[in-house]
PDB file of all heavy atoms in Angstrom:
ATOM      1  N   CYS A   1     137.853   0.731  79.817  1.00  0.00           N
ATOM      2  CA  CYS A   1     138.276   2.170  79.666  1.00  0.00           C
ATOM      3  C   CYS A   1     136.997   3.025  80.151  1.00  0.00           C
ATOM      4  O   CYS A   1     137.209   4.342  80.312  1.00  0.00           O
ATOM      5  CB  CYS A   1     138.480   2.571  78.267  1.00  0.00           C
ATOM      6  SG  CYS A   1     137.110   2.450  77.097  1.00  0.00           S
ATOM      7  N   GLY A   2     135.875   2.568  80.448  1.00  0.00           N
ATOM      8  CA  GLY A   2     134.787   3.268  80.999  1.00  0.00           C
ATOM      9  C   GLY A   2     133.720   3.468  80.009  1.00  0.00           C
ATOM     10  O   GLY A   2     132.710   4.225  80.418  1.00  0.00           O
ATOM     11  N   LYS A   3     133.748   3.024  78.759  1.00  0.00           N
ATOM     12  CA  LYS A   3     132.702   3.302  77.927  1.00  0.00           C
ATOM     13  C   LYS A   3     131.310   2.860  78.187  1.00  0.00           C
ATOM     14  O   LYS A   3     130.371   3.538  78.114  1.00  0.00           O
ATOM     15  CB  LYS A   3     133.232   2.920  76.415  1.00  0.00           C
ATOM     16  CG  LYS A   3     133.604   1.487  76.263  1.00  0.00           C
ATOM     17  CD  LYS A   3     134.230   1.226  74.951  1.00  0.00           C
ATOM     18  CE  LYS A   3     134.459  -0.333  74.733  1.00  0.00           C
ATOM     19  NZ  LYS A   3     135.535  -0.753  75.695  1.00  0.00           N
ATOM     20  N   THR A   4     131.337   1.540  78.518  1.00  0.00           N
ATOM     21  CA  THR A   4     129.952   0.991  78.901  1.00  0.00           C
ATOM     22  C   THR A   4     129.374   1.633  80.183  1.00  0.00           C
ATOM     23  O   THR A   4     128.240   1.855  80.303  1.00  0.00           O
ATOM     24  CB  THR A   4     129.991  -0.577  79.105  1.00  0.00           C
ATOM     25  OG1 THR A   4     130.296  -1.104  77.868  1.00  0.00           O
ATOM     26  CG2 THR A   4     128.691  -1.092  79.709  1.00  0.00           C
ATOM     27  N   THR A   5     130.326   1.963  81.170  1.00  0.00           N
ATOM     28  CA  THR A   5     129.872   2.606  82.434  1.00  0.00           C
ATOM     29  C   THR A   5     129.197   3.896  82.050  1.00  0.00           C
ATOM     30  O   THR A   5     128.187   4.395  82.671  1.00  0.00           O
ATOM     31  CB  THR A   5     131.017   2.714  83.272  1.00  0.00           C
ATOM     32  OG1 THR A   5     131.606   1.449  83.706  1.00  0.00           O
ATOM     33  CG2 THR A   5     130.586   3.496  84.688  1.00  0.00           C
ATOM     34  N   SER A   6     129.895   4.606  81.081  1.00  0.00           N
ATOM     35  CA  SER A   6     129.355   5.934  80.811  1.00  0.00           C
ATOM     36  C   SER A   6     128.011   5.874  80.149  1.00  0.00           C
ATOM     37  O   SER A   6     127.000   6.690  80.595  1.00  0.00           O
ATOM     38  CB  SER A   6     130.377   6.592  79.701  1.00  0.00           C
ATOM     39  OG  SER A   6     131.678   6.848  80.161  1.00  0.00           O
ATOM     40  N   LEU A   7     127.741   4.849  79.305  1.00  0.00           N
ATOM     41  CA  LEU A   7     126.362   4.654  78.772  1.00  0.00           C
ATOM     42  C   LEU A   7     125.356   4.303  79.737  1.00  0.00           C
ATOM     43  O   LEU A   7     124.323   4.838  79.771  1.00  0.00           O
ATOM     44  CB  LEU A   7     126.535   3.593  77.802  1.00  0.00           C
ATOM     45  CG  LEU A   7     125.416   3.377  76.737  1.00  0.00           C
ATOM     46  CD1 LEU A   7     125.508   4.495  75.682  1.00  0.00           C
ATOM     47  CD2 LEU A   7     125.416   1.955  76.027  1.00  0.00           C
ATOM     48  N   ARG A   8     125.813   3.536  80.790  1.00  0.00           N
ATOM     49  CA  ARG A   8     124.921   3.010  81.849  1.00  0.00           C
ATOM     50  C   ARG A   8     124.520   4.258  82.700  1.00  0.00           C
ATOM     51  O   ARG A   8     123.527   4.252  83.365  1.00  0.00           O
ATOM     52  CB  ARG A   8     125.440   1.949  82.678  1.00  0.00           C
ATOM     53  CG  ARG A   8     125.412   0.623  81.758  1.00  0.00           C
ATOM     54  CD  ARG A   8     126.283  -0.540  82.486  1.00  0.00           C
ATOM     55  NE  ARG A   8     125.705  -0.936  83.662  1.00  0.00           N
ATOM     56  CZ  ARG A   8     124.585  -1.819  83.812  1.00  0.00           C
ATOM     57  NH1 ARG A   8     124.177  -2.361  82.779  1.00  0.00           N
ATOM     58  NH2 ARG A   8     124.185  -2.092  84.995  1.00  0.00           N
ATOM     59  N   MET A   9     125.549   5.173  82.881  1.00  0.00           N
ATOM     60  CA  MET A   9     125.164   6.405  83.722  1.00  0.00           C
ATOM     61  C   MET A   9     124.026   7.276  82.965  1.00  0.00           C
ATOM     62  O   MET A   9     123.237   7.799  83.750  1.00  0.00           O
ATOM     63  CB  MET A   9     126.458   7.203  83.738  1.00  0.00           C
ATOM     64  CG  MET A   9     127.497   6.602  84.734  1.00  0.00           C
ATOM     65  SD  MET A   9     129.179   7.200  84.569  1.00  0.00           S
ATOM     66  CE  MET A   9     129.010   8.820  85.240  1.00  0.00           C
ATOM     67  N   VAL A  10     124.111   7.320  81.645  1.00  0.00           N
ATOM     68  CA  VAL A  10     122.919   7.912  81.069  1.00  0.00           C
ATOM     69  C   VAL A  10     121.684   7.313  81.121  1.00  0.00           C
ATOM     70  O   VAL A  10     120.669   7.897  81.299  1.00  0.00           O
ATOM     71  CB  VAL A  10     123.305   8.055  79.484  1.00  0.00           C
ATOM     72  CG1 VAL A  10     122.181   8.901  78.775  1.00  0.00           C
ATOM     73  CG2 VAL A  10     124.588   8.772  79.227  1.00  0.00           C
ATOM     74  N   ALA A  11     121.619   5.963  81.171  1.00  0.00           N
ATOM     75  CA  ALA A  11     120.523   5.151  81.260  1.00  0.00           C
ATOM     76  C   ALA A  11     119.952   5.120  82.631  1.00  0.00           C
ATOM     77  O   ALA A  11     118.781   4.751  82.944  1.00  0.00           O
ATOM     78  CB  ALA A  11     120.809   3.715  80.795  1.00  0.00           C
ATOM     79  N   GLY A  12     120.800   5.561  83.586  1.00  0.00           N
ATOM     80  CA  GLY A  12     120.404   5.448  84.982  1.00  0.00           C
ATOM     81  C   GLY A  12     120.664   4.234  85.684  1.00  0.00           C
ATOM     82  O   GLY A  12     120.170   3.890  86.814  1.00  0.00           O
ATOM     83  N   LEU A  13     121.449   3.229  85.040  1.00  0.00           N
ATOM     84  CA  LEU A  13     121.767   2.010  85.597  1.00  0.00           C
ATOM     85  C   LEU A  13     123.113   2.032  86.396  1.00  0.00           C
ATOM     86  O   LEU A  13     123.291   1.007  87.084  1.00  0.00           O
ATOM     87  CB  LEU A  13     122.017   1.023  84.453  1.00  0.00           C
ATOM     88  CG  LEU A  13     120.703   0.876  83.502  1.00  0.00           C
ATOM     89  CD1 LEU A  13     120.951  -0.221  82.346  1.00  0.00           C
ATOM     90  CD2 LEU A  13     119.404   0.346  84.323  1.00  0.00           C
ATOM     91  N   GLU A  14     123.757   3.139  86.347  1.00  0.00           N
ATOM     92  CA  GLU A  14     125.002   3.266  87.293  1.00  0.00           C
ATOM     93  C   GLU A  14     124.794   4.718  87.939  1.00  0.00           C
ATOM     94  O   GLU A  14     124.293   5.707  87.386  1.00  0.00           O
ATOM     95  CB  GLU A  14     126.273   3.326  86.367  1.00  0.00           C
ATOM     96  CG  GLU A  14     126.570   1.970  85.800  1.00  0.00           C
ATOM     97  CD  GLU A  14     127.191   0.999  86.808  1.00  0.00           C
ATOM     98  OE1 GLU A  14     127.303   1.342  87.991  1.00  0.00           O
ATOM     99  OE2 GLU A  14     127.359  -0.182  86.397  1.00  0.00           O
ATOM    100  N   THR A  15     125.289   4.725  89.143  1.00  0.00           N
ATOM    101  CA  THR A  15     125.209   5.914  90.015  1.00  0.00           C
ATOM    102  C   THR A  15     126.225   6.988  89.497  1.00  0.00           C
ATOM    103  O   THR A  15     127.414   6.506  89.158  1.00  0.00           O
ATOM    104  CB  THR A  15     125.443   5.614  91.465  1.00  0.00           C
ATOM    105  OG1 THR A  15     124.450   4.708  91.873  1.00  0.00           O
ATOM    106  CG2 THR A  15     125.397   6.901  92.385  1.00  0.00           C
ATOM    107  N   VAL A  16     125.959   8.214  89.454  1.00  0.00           N
ATOM    108  CA  VAL A  16     126.865   9.276  89.206  1.00  0.00           C
ATOM    109  C   VAL A  16     127.386   9.829  90.492  1.00  0.00           C
ATOM    110  O   VAL A  16     126.590  10.339  91.293  1.00  0.00           O
ATOM    111  CB  VAL A  16     126.200  10.436  88.355  1.00  0.00           C
ATOM    112  CG1 VAL A  16     127.215  11.501  88.102  1.00  0.00           C
ATOM    113  CG2 VAL A  16     125.603   9.866  87.171  1.00  0.00           C
ATOM    114  N   ASP A  17     128.687   9.527  90.849  1.00  0.00           N
ATOM    115  CA  ASP A  17     129.227   9.951  92.090  1.00  0.00           C
ATOM    116  C   ASP A  17     129.620  11.419  92.111  1.00  0.00           C
ATOM    117  O   ASP A  17     129.676  11.973  93.332  1.00  0.00           O
ATOM    118  CB  ASP A  17     130.497   9.063  92.421  1.00  0.00           C
ATOM    119  CG  ASP A  17     130.112   7.610  92.583  1.00  0.00           C
ATOM    120  OD1 ASP A  17     129.180   7.364  93.243  1.00  0.00           O
ATOM    121  OD2 ASP A  17     130.846   6.739  91.968  1.00  0.00           O
ATOM    122  N   ALA A  18     129.830  12.096  91.060  1.00  0.00           N
ATOM    123  CA  ALA A  18     130.174  13.420  91.119  1.00  0.00           C
ATOM    124  C   ALA A  18     129.776  13.952  89.627  1.00  0.00           C
ATOM    125  O   ALA A  18     129.817  13.205  88.634  1.00  0.00           O
ATOM    126  CB  ALA A  18     131.674  13.751  91.341  1.00  0.00           C
ATOM    127  N   GLY A  19     129.574  15.343  89.598  1.00  0.00           N
ATOM    128  CA  GLY A  19     129.158  15.895  88.288  1.00  0.00           C
ATOM    129  C   GLY A  19     127.622  15.604  87.957  1.00  0.00           C
ATOM    130  O   GLY A  19     126.924  15.143  88.903  1.00  0.00           O
ATOM    131  N   CYS A  20     127.282  15.796  86.734  1.00  0.00           N
ATOM    132  CA  CYS A  20     125.762  15.546  86.474  1.00  0.00           C
ATOM    133  C   CYS A  20     125.712  15.116  84.949  1.00  0.00           C
ATOM    134  O   CYS A  20     126.634  15.263  84.174  1.00  0.00           O
ATOM    135  CB  CYS A  20     125.105  16.653  86.673  1.00  0.00           C
ATOM    136  SG  CYS A  20     125.210  18.175  85.547  1.00  0.00           S
ATOM    137  N   ILE A  21     124.594  14.662  84.592  1.00  0.00           N
ATOM    138  CA  ILE A  21     124.177  14.266  83.237  1.00  0.00           C
ATOM    139  C   ILE A  21     122.843  14.876  82.874  1.00  0.00           C
ATOM    140  O   ILE A  21     121.895  14.850  83.650  1.00  0.00           O
ATOM    141  CB  ILE A  21     124.161  12.652  83.070  1.00  0.00           C
ATOM    142  CG1 ILE A  21     125.488  12.072  83.244  1.00  0.00           C
ATOM    143  CG2 ILE A  21     123.443  12.225  81.807  1.00  0.00           C
ATOM    144  CD1 ILE A  21     125.483  10.597  83.244  1.00  0.00           C
ATOM    145  N   ARG A  22     122.836  15.456  81.700  1.00  0.00           N
ATOM    146  CA  ARG A  22     121.648  16.123  81.182  1.00  0.00           C
ATOM    147  C   ARG A  22     121.112  15.539  79.854  1.00  0.00           C
ATOM    148  O   ARG A  22     121.995  15.086  79.115  1.00  0.00           O
ATOM    149  CB  ARG A  22     121.912  17.618  80.972  1.00  0.00           C
ATOM    150  CG  ARG A  22     122.359  18.494  82.181  1.00  0.00           C
ATOM    151  CD  ARG A  22     122.565  19.955  81.905  1.00  0.00           C
ATOM    152  NE  ARG A  22     123.013  20.680  83.045  1.00  0.00           N
ATOM    153  CZ  ARG A  22     122.428  21.028  83.986  1.00  0.00           C
ATOM    154  NH1 ARG A  22     121.136  20.921  84.044  1.00  0.00           N
ATOM    155  NH2 ARG A  22     122.972  21.698  85.044  1.00  0.00           N
ATOM    156  N   ILE A  23     119.931  15.410  79.842  1.00  0.00           N
ATOM    157  CA  ILE A  23     119.185  15.007  78.610  1.00  0.00           C
ATOM    158  C   ILE A  23     118.455  16.273  78.100  1.00  0.00           C
ATOM    159  O   ILE A  23     117.406  16.556  78.756  1.00  0.00           O
ATOM    160  CB  ILE A  23     118.341  13.808  78.699  1.00  0.00           C
ATOM    161  CG1 ILE A  23     119.269  12.596  79.046  1.00  0.00           C
ATOM    162  CG2 ILE A  23     117.675  13.504  77.462  1.00  0.00           C
ATOM    163  CD1 ILE A  23     118.586  11.310  79.243  1.00  0.00           C
ATOM    164  N   GLY A  24     118.789  16.867  77.067  1.00  0.00           N
ATOM    165  CA  GLY A  24     118.107  18.112  76.760  1.00  0.00           C
ATOM    166  C   GLY A  24     118.677  19.151  77.824  1.00  0.00           C
ATOM    167  O   GLY A  24     119.827  19.163  78.252  1.00  0.00           O
ATOM    168  N   ALA A  25     117.585  19.867  78.368  1.00  0.00           N
ATOM    169  CA  ALA A  25     117.880  20.904  79.406  1.00  0.00           C
ATOM    170  C   ALA A  25     117.868  20.342  80.820  1.00  0.00           C
ATOM    171  O   ALA A  25     118.058  20.976  81.812  1.00  0.00           O
ATOM    172  CB  ALA A  25     117.050  22.152  79.176  1.00  0.00           C
TER     173      ALA A  25
END
């Protein structure tokens, strides 16, 4: 369903193809 991929996107282990991820500001 994409849950582990989502987590790895936060960790930087998966590329974000569109949109963005923020930690804090």
Side-chain angles (χ1 to χ4, degrees):
C1 70
K3 52 189 184 293
T4 293
T5 301
S6 301
L7 197 75
R8 290 171 62 85
M9 288 163 74
V10 178
L13 303 177
E14 292 287 353
T15 304
V16 180
D17 295 317
C20 73
I21 292 176
R22 300 182 186 277
I23 297 177

